[in-house]
Amino acid sequence: MSTVGKVIKCKAAIVFEAKGPFKIVEIEVAPPKAHEVRIKILGTGICRTDEHVQAGAIKVNYPVIPGHEAVGIVESIGEGVTCVKPGDKVIPLCLPQCGRCPPCKNPEGNMCQKSDFLTAKGVMYDGTSRFSYKGKPVHNFVNTSTFTEYTVVHEDAVVKIDPAAPIEKACLMGCGFSTGYGAATKTAKVTPGSTCAVFGLGGVGLPVIIGCKTSGASRIIGIDINKAKFPIAKELGATECISPLDFKKPINEVLLDMTDGEGVDYSFEVIGHTDTMAAALASCNLNYGVSVMVGVPPSAAEMTLSPRLIFTGRTWKGSVFGGLKSKDDIPKLVLAGMEKKFNLDPLVTHVLPFEKINEGFELLHKGQSIRTVLKM
């Protein structure tokens, strides 16, 4: 029986309040309005940012359906949609690309003004939600909401991919891989023969290593307190790995010692902690070093730094979605992954049924997973 134009009842994982658990309940998903797309989710990845939503560390409106890294099939489209059609395999975009605003038109920009990443309103462009539970609206998350069997996104926030793309690996392109890989190749523009340091060896930090290696870096130092991640980091391109817990001096001083006092050419903070952001900045060369903030910081976080860290010439940059333009770049990355231009196999460590979402987050909390993909 066709579901086009009808309300769909399905399962979704809702966070009703900060620090509350994910509760799987039956929700109603309204049909797409004009320029909107309703998607049947096939698989969705568990990202640290979703944990921040659950913990209340980043600003959202509750109740909310998190999830922003997924692959699905277009179930139906609203009036005026031309970029996809029913049956297309797609990736919802947590960073839209409308193609009309100044960041979209700027070759170096990607922070589309239609993004809900900073405003966190949790509604569609018309100010309403397509999700409801027991007759009351439920908010979406960063234009996507993928912890549900069906979601509705604006056409600015969806892109068609190769129909043969494997679900588990294609999911990574919706956030984790693209963000890390792009941070190295697009934001930092790592150069051949350079030295890099990557703080945090998780589902985003490891793709940073892949990006550094692809760009020709000669030395890539992985940094994490969880040594269980070191073998995977080395398999993907890290030349050496260290734990801050093994040293009595600050980690930025350790990195200076490892580079004969010069510091690294490029450093990447992929954790989202202000102390490691400062350490990453101080670890790169004082004159020409580039440090990139990749990890999402808590909404209330603030930093105090000496201006001399910047005055000497260092460059300190932020990177959202790796600086990539989502609609333009994701299909290319999916294809490159299918062509084995980089190794994605070690990144997906667990595949679980959707009903075990809380188990997936436990694996993340305990440092036992890189990426867990939930299959619908």
Side-chain angles (χ1 to χ4, degrees):
M1 184 181 296
S2 174
T3 53
V4 175
K6 300 176 181 178
V7 171
I8 292 177
K9 293 183 178 182
C10 68
K11 293 178 182 178
I14 298 179
V15 177
F16 287 91
E17 59 184 358
K19 300 182 181 179
F22 286 94
K23 293 184 179 179
I24 296 181
V25 298
E26 184 179 81
I27 66 166
E28 293 188 339
V29 183
K33 294 185 179 182
H35 299 289
E36 295 176 357
V37 180
R38 188 159 63 181
I39 303 167
K40 177 179 175 60
I41 299 296
L42 301 177
T44 179
I46 290 179
C47 177
R48 183 75 67 177
T49 304
D50 299 310
E51 180 189 38
H52 292 338
V53 172
Q54 181 188 23
I58 60 176
K59 177 186 175 184
V60 296
N61 289 315
Y62 298 95
V64 62
I65 299 174
H68 60 284
E69 183 181 271
V71 170
I73 298 291
V74 174
E75 176 268 341
S76 61
I77 58 175
E79 181 183 353
V81 174
T82 58
C83 61
V84 295
K85 64 182 184 302
D88 284 348
K89 182 177 279 190
V90 295
I91 289 180
L93 304 175
C94 58
L95 187 64
Q97 185 182 345
C98 73
R100 302 177 295 276
C101 66
C104 282
K105 291 180 178 179
N106 190 309
E108 296 301 314
N110 76 332
M111 196 69 181
C112 178
Q113 291 178 352
K114 293 296 186 180
S115 169
D116 197 36
F117 188 78
L118 296 178
T119 55
K121 294 179 181 178
V123 291
M124 303 299 288
Y125 289 4
D126 67 357
T128 64
S129 174
R130 302 295 166 265
F131 301 126
S132 62
Y133 173 63
K134 293 185 176 180
K136 296 183 178 180
V138 178
H139 296 92
N140 66 35
F141 178 57
V142 288
N143 305 90
T144 49
S145 284
T146 59
F147 290 167
T148 171
E149 292 176 315
Y150 286 87
T151 191
V152 177
V153 303
H154 193 274
E155 64 177 337
D156 294 341
V158 63
V159 68
K160 180 180 178 181
I161 62 170
D162 192 304
I167 296 171
E168 293 90 342
K169 295 175 184 176
C171 273
L172 303 175
M173 303 304 172
C175 176
F177 184 85
S178 301
T179 297
Y181 185 81
T185 60
K186 180 72 182 291
T187 304
K189 296 180 173 61
V190 170
T191 54
S194 59
T195 299
C196 303
V198 181
F199 290 69
L201 303 178
V204 180
L206 292 172
V208 172
I209 288 177
I210 295 173
C212 291
K213 181 181 179 181
T214 301
S215 299
S218 61
R219 189 179 185 189
I220 305 170
I221 305 168
I223 304 155
D224 203 295
I225 60 173
N226 185 354
K227 293 184 178 181
K229 297 178 179 179
F230 290 0
I232 296 177
K234 290 181 178 178
E235 179 183 354
L236 294 174
T239 52
E240 57 213 289
C241 295
I242 58 175
S243 169
L245 301 180
D246 289 340
F247 303 92
K248 293 183 179 180
K249 60 173 63 177
I251 193 64
N252 54 288
E253 294 182 15
V254 173
L255 289 166
L256 286 173
D257 290 344
M258 294 175 67
T259 54
D260 298 323
E262 293 298 321
V264 298
D265 299 305
Y266 302 94
S267 65
F268 301 86
E269 200 280 350
V270 203
I271 304 167
H273 294 170
T274 55
D275 55 346
T276 43
M277 290 175 186
L281 177 63
S283 70
C284 68
N285 184 274
L286 63 82
N287 180 226
Y288 51 78
V290 176
S291 187
V292 182
M293 288 188 285
V294 188
V296 178
S299 296
E302 294 184 353
M303 295 180 68
T304 301
L305 290 170
S306 167
R308 294 180 67 86
L309 282 170
I310 305 294
F311 176 74
T312 54
R314 288 184 179 93
T315 300
W316 199 18
K317 307 184 74 173
S319 182
V320 175
F321 203 69
L324 303 178
K325 291 186 181 293
S326 54
K327 285 205 176 200
D328 294 344
D329 292 322
I330 281 185
K332 298 174 186 175
L333 287 177
V334 170
L335 186 59
M338 294 174 69
E339 294 173 346
K340 307 293 185 183
K341 291 186 177 179
F342 25 70
N343 183 13
L344 300 175
D345 292 334
L347 298 178
V348 180
T349 53
H350 298 79
V351 178
L352 298 174
F354 179 57
E355 291 75 14
K356 293 189 176 182
I357 184 171
N358 284 301
E359 181 180 325
F361 275 92
E362 278 299 310
L363 290 168
L364 180 66
H365 296 157
K366 294 177 180 178
Q368 296 175 352
S369 66
I370 300 301
R371 252 318 181 261
T372 295
V373 173
L374 304 171
K375 298 291 284 290
M376 301 301 185

